[in-house]
Amino acid sequence: MNIKFLKFIVIFMGILIVIGVLVLGMSIYIKFKNISNINNKNHFIINMPDNMNFLGHDIFEDKIYISYKSSNKIIIKIYSLITGRAIKEIEILK
């Protein structure tokens, strides 16, 4: 075989190895970045209404029911545990 041809093959394979390592590193970085984003979505913040006291909470299936009490009304807020969004708000007057 020709020496120039062997040198070309060695250099070409070296370049392929470097590109492969870079692609592997980037894919691992993207995979770990996605895992950390998924873990951050497992919680959400619920703000308490003004001038209301926390009464209690219940969890049923994939929903959380949170109730607040004031001197003239009771509010029950329903949130989805999957999305973290408010589904419904029920207001009961005394």
Side-chain angles (χ1 to χ4, degrees):
M1 285 195 125
N2 194 353
I3 291 285
K4 289 183 180 182
F5 181 68
L6 286 175
K7 285 183 182 179
F8 172 75
I9 290 176
V10 168
I11 292 172
F12 181 71
M13 287 183 164
I15 292 171
L16 286 178
I17 290 172
V18 169
I19 291 172
V21 169
L22 288 175
V23 168
L24 181 66
M26 289 299 293
S27 63
I28 290 173
Y29 172 75
I30 290 170
K31 189 68 98 171
F32 278 117
K33 185 178 174 185
N34 288 341
I35 289 173
S36 66
N37 288 341
I38 291 171
N39 289 338
N40 289 338
K41 293 180 182 178
N42 288 337
H43 66 279
F44 53 93
I45 298 172
I46 300 172
N47 295 325
M48 190 165 71
D50 295 332
N51 301 323
M52 309 258 335
N53 295 324
F54 178 73
L55 191 59
H57 72 283
D58 289 319
I59 298 175
F60 184 71
E61 293 179 356
D62 62 343
K63 296 177 185 76
I64 182 167
Y65 300 83
I66 302 176
S67 54
Y68 302 99
K69 180 181 179 182
S70 72
S71 60
N72 59 353
K73 65 182 172 180
I74 296 174
I75 294 178
I76 300 172
K77 292 188 175 187
I78 304 170
Y79 294 91
S80 170
L81 289 176
I82 296 171
T83 62
R85 295 184 183 187
I87 297 173
K88 193 180 290 188
E89 181 175 320
I90 302 170
E91 187 173 320
I92 303 170
L93 300 175
K94 289 185 177 180

